[in-house]
Amino acid sequence: MKEEIIKEIIRNPVLPVFYDDDVNTCIQALQSCYEGGIRVFEFVNRGAEAEQNFKALRNYKEEHFPDLKLGIGTIMHADDADRFIELGADFLVSPIFSECVASSAKKNNILWIPGCMTPTEIADAQLAGCTFVKLFPGDTLGPGFLKSIKPIFPNLRFMPTGGVDCTQESINKWFEAGVSAVGLGSKLFVKVNGKYEFGQIAENCRNLLNWAKRGA
């Protein structure tokens, strides 16, 4: 299961990162990303409706997009990990490294991508059995950080979240530095007059995937 998800991320190396309290907005965001070619999507556990909206997205994707991998992000505690695994999450993502989440992921044999900011955190993640690491916050670390530390961790794959723009230049810089995928939140989910532009989001996804696959 873990290797299957990793292979899917490598094939489709752009992960949208999204949350909204409104379930219909969540479904529209998922639809627009899928139309743009996205096949791996990270919903985040950041609001009061996270659990209910994740359930709705899971049901919707099972019916309409069975090939899509749907993960849950912002997992900070083992009980959150266990709860969303029970709800059918395909993978877990965190902004931190946590031994308790590592234990939950291992127990359930599910891919967990921890957030790391320092070489020590990355080493801890590797010792815990992680093979994919989220560089967070990416805008603080930058591609230069990855270029510096990647030779120390030749067997790990990296994905920045934050600090990735919807431009070919940004995507090229990150993939030239050695990332295996990129995550995008607010930079991808554009709003005009307070409303999401779903057509533009789909177009952004198409462009991002095209650039990322050429750079991978």
Side-chain angles (χ1 to χ4, degrees), residues 76-134:
M76 307 279 281
H77 307 287
D79 56 348
D80 290 331
D82 291 340
R83 186 168 78 256
F84 280 98
I85 290 169
E86 183 69 23
L87 293 174
D90 290 317
F91 59 95
L92 309 174
V93 185
S94 299
I96 60 170
F97 174 77
S98 165
E99 290 283 1
C100 68
V101 177
S103 296
S104 175
K106 185 175 182 180
K107 175 183 69 178
N108 289 282
N109 193 31
I110 189 170
L111 175 65
W112 174 49
I113 304 176
C116 298
M117 189 179 182
T118 68
T120 298
E121 291 172 345
I122 295 169
D124 287 342
Q126 187 173 46
L127 287 170
C130 299
T131 58
F132 220 118
V133 169
K134 168 180 170 176

Side-chain angles (χ1 to χ4, degrees), residues 1 23-24 35 60 78 83 85 104 106 122 124 144 153 198 202 210:
M1 178 65 173
V23 66
N24 290 323
E35 288 170 9
Y60 189 88
R83 186 168 78 256
I85 290 169
S104 175
K106 185 175 182 180
I122 295 169
D124 287 342
F153 304 103
F198 293 110
N210 184 39

Side-chain angles (χ1 to χ4, degrees), residues 2 12 21 66 122-123 142 177:
K2 288 191 291 186
N12 297 281
D21 282 334
I122 295 169

Side-chain angles (χ1 to χ4, degrees), residues 54-67:
F54 182 83
K55 287 180 184 178
L57 284 178
R58 181 73 191 178
N59 291 337
Y60 189 88
K61 89 101 184 169
E62 286 295 321
E63 181 178 355
H64 298 281
F65 312 135
D67 58 330

Side-chain angles (χ1 to χ4, degrees), residues 173-189:
K173 284 182 178 179
W174 280 109
F175 278 89
E176 285 168 4
V179 301
S180 293
V182 292
L184 293 96
S186 59
K187 300 284 183 69
L188 169 60
F189 293 99

